[in-house]
């Protein structure tokens, strides 16, 4: 007797669910009171803070889905002369799926507009930005990473920009749901789901989507 496997529906993830599931890591060598407010008042329960990154295999870094990095005063433990900017580049090269927010204090000077980190980060904020600005930015990036509709729209833009491939949001959602049902998220499986030989950085986006 043949048994048909019931098709699973990709879960709808609410903001409250994201706040309970998404790991946020602040890298800041100074006390930043806003991190406590985001955790205790806004409810991002899996938020943690480290003064610097000593290894790209550091557990807090591996576990993080969204990184908030102060570009001054960090990156020194790994020997980056450009401090947090160099750290951002290194993290992106090793973990391209992670979302990165770069922040800095205006009083600490201008950032090199041609530094590679400028084109890598998902968002840039002033350190003096209020809690609402940090909260809405983290919320938006969490939705882009882990909510099907928002993630499909991001993938649509990436396909168009990187590969000159035009797919509808519905076509992308169908491919993602197919992957979700197979449980296979390797590069070959992702290429097969989209019927493409190359999916570029979409593979890392889907890897993050399926990580919670």
């Amino acid at each position: 007797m043949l048994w048909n496997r019931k098709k699973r529906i990709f879960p709808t993830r609410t903001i409250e669910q994201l706040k309970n599931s998404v790991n946020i890591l602040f890298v800041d060598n100074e006390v930043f009171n806003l991190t406590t407010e985001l955790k205790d008042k806004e409810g991002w329960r899996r938020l943690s803070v480290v003064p610097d990154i000593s290894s790209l295999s550091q557990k807090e870094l591996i576990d993080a889905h969204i990184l908030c990095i102060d570009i001054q005063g960090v990156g020194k433990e790994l020997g980056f002369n450009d401090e947090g900017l160099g750290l951002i580049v290194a993290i992106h090269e090793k973990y391209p799926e992670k979302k990165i927010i770069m922040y800095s204090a205006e009083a600490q000077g201008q950032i090199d507009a041609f530094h590679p980190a400028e084109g890598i980060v998902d968002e840039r904020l002033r350190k003096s930005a209020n809690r609402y600005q940090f909260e809405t930015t983290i919320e938006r990036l969490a939705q882009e990473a882990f909510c099907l509709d928002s993630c499909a729209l991001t993938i649509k833009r990436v396909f168009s920009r990187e590969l000159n491939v035009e797919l509808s949001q519905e076509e992308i959602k169908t491919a993602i749901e197919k992957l979700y049902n197979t449980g296979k998220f390797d590069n070959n499986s992702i290429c097969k789901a989209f019927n493409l030989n190359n999916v570029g950085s979409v593979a890392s986006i889907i890897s993050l989507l399926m990580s919670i």
Side-chain angles (χ1 to χ4, degrees), residues 22-28 35 39 44-51 59-61 63-64 66-68:
V22 176
N23 295 323
I24 301 166
L25 179 65
F26 274 76
V27 184
D28 197 327
T35 57
K39 186 172 185 176
W44 293 96
R45 296 168 183 84
R46 301 175 71 89
L47 185 152
S48 57
V49 184
V50 294
K59 186 179 188 305
E60 294 94 338
L61 176 58
D63 291 345
I66 298 175
L67 290 148
C68 302

Side-chain angles (χ1 to χ4, degrees), residues 50 92 109 118 130 135 177:
V50 294
H92 179 74
E118 281 285 338
N130 58 42
E135 154 75 5
E177 288 178 335

Side-chain angles (χ1 to χ4, degrees), residues 66-120:
I66 298 175
L67 290 148
C68 302
I69 301 176
D70 185 351
I71 63 170
Q72 280 95 13
V74 306
K76 294 181 179 180
E77 289 200 26
L78 287 173
F80 293 112
N81 293 328
D82 45 2
E83 300 187 9
L85 294 172
L87 179 62
I88 286 169
V89 173
I91 289 172
H92 179 74
E93 287 177 353
K94 188 172 180 66
Y95 306 105
E97 73 280 4
K98 296 184 186 297
K99 298 283 190 179
I100 301 176
I101 298 170
M102 172 175 76
Y103 65 91
S104 64
E106 280 186 294
Q108 292 171 306
Q110 295 293 318
I111 299 167
D112 180 2
F114 298 100
H115 196 285
E118 281 285 338
I120 286 171

Side-chain angles (χ1 to χ4, degrees), residues 6-206:
K6 186 177 180 180
K7 183 180 179 182
R8 297 187 299 158
I9 305 298
F10 193 90
T12 299
R13 292 162 174 166
T14 66
I15 290 298
E16 284 307 309
Q17 287 173 322
L18 293 177
K19 287 182 176 183
N20 285 317
S21 304
V22 176
N23 295 323
I24 301 166
L25 179 65
F26 274 76
V27 184
D28 197 327
N29 68 319
E30 298 178 339
V31 175
F32 192 21
N33 292 331
L34 183 139
T35 57
T36 302
E37 295 174 3
L38 287 170
K39 186 172 185 176
D40 295 343
K41 296 182 180 180
E42 300 296 346
W44 293 96
R45 296 168 183 84
R46 301 175 71 89
L47 185 152
S48 57
V49 184
V50 294
D52 205 346
I53 298 296
S54 58
S55 167
L56 292 180
S57 298
Q58 191 169 324
K59 186 179 188 305
E60 294 94 338
L61 176 58
I62 292 172
D63 291 345
H65 301 120
I66 298 175
L67 290 148
C68 302
I69 301 176
D70 185 351
I71 63 170
Q72 280 95 13
V74 306
K76 294 181 179 180
E77 289 200 26
L78 287 173
F80 293 112
N81 293 328
D82 45 2
E83 300 187 9
L85 294 172
L87 179 62
I88 286 169
V89 173
I91 289 172
H92 179 74
E93 287 177 353
K94 188 172 180 66
Y95 306 105
E97 73 280 4
K98 296 184 186 297
K99 298 283 190 179
I100 301 176
I101 298 170
M102 172 175 76
Y103 65 91
S104 64
E106 280 186 294
Q108 292 171 306
Q110 295 293 318
I111 299 167
D112 180 2
F114 298 100
H115 196 285
E118 281 285 338
I120 286 171
V121 296
D122 296 279
E123 189 61 78
R124 178 179 168 183
L125 292 171
R126 293 186 177 91
K127 193 169 185 175
S128 59
N130 58 42
R131 189 173 83 217
Y132 173 79
Q133 290 172 294
F134 270 91
E135 154 75 5
T136 54
T137 299
I138 290 170
E139 185 176 301
R140 174 175 58 80
L141 294 181
Q143 288 177 315
E144 285 181 8
F146 298 112
C147 295
L148 182 59
D149 285 338
S150 297
C151 186
L153 185 57
T154 299
I155 290 172
K156 183 178 187 296
R157 292 168 180 158
V158 171
F159 270 139
S160 180
R161 182 179 68 246
E162 289 187 5
L163 302 173
N164 199 28
V165 171
E166 301 299 332
L167 292 175
S168 71
Q169 192 172 356
E170 287 304 314
E171 288 174 315
I172 293 168
K173 286 167 64 177
T174 298
I176 290 172
E177 288 178 335
K178 181 179 178 181
L179 289 164
Y180 179 69
N181 273 274
T182 64
K184 296 179 180 179
F185 316 126
D186 59 278
N187 192 70
N188 287 337
S189 297
I190 295 170
C191 287
K192 186 176 179 180
F194 286 101
N195 197 29
L196 294 169
N197 293 323
N198 176 31
V199 291
S201 63
V202 167
S204 64
I205 295 172
I206 290 177

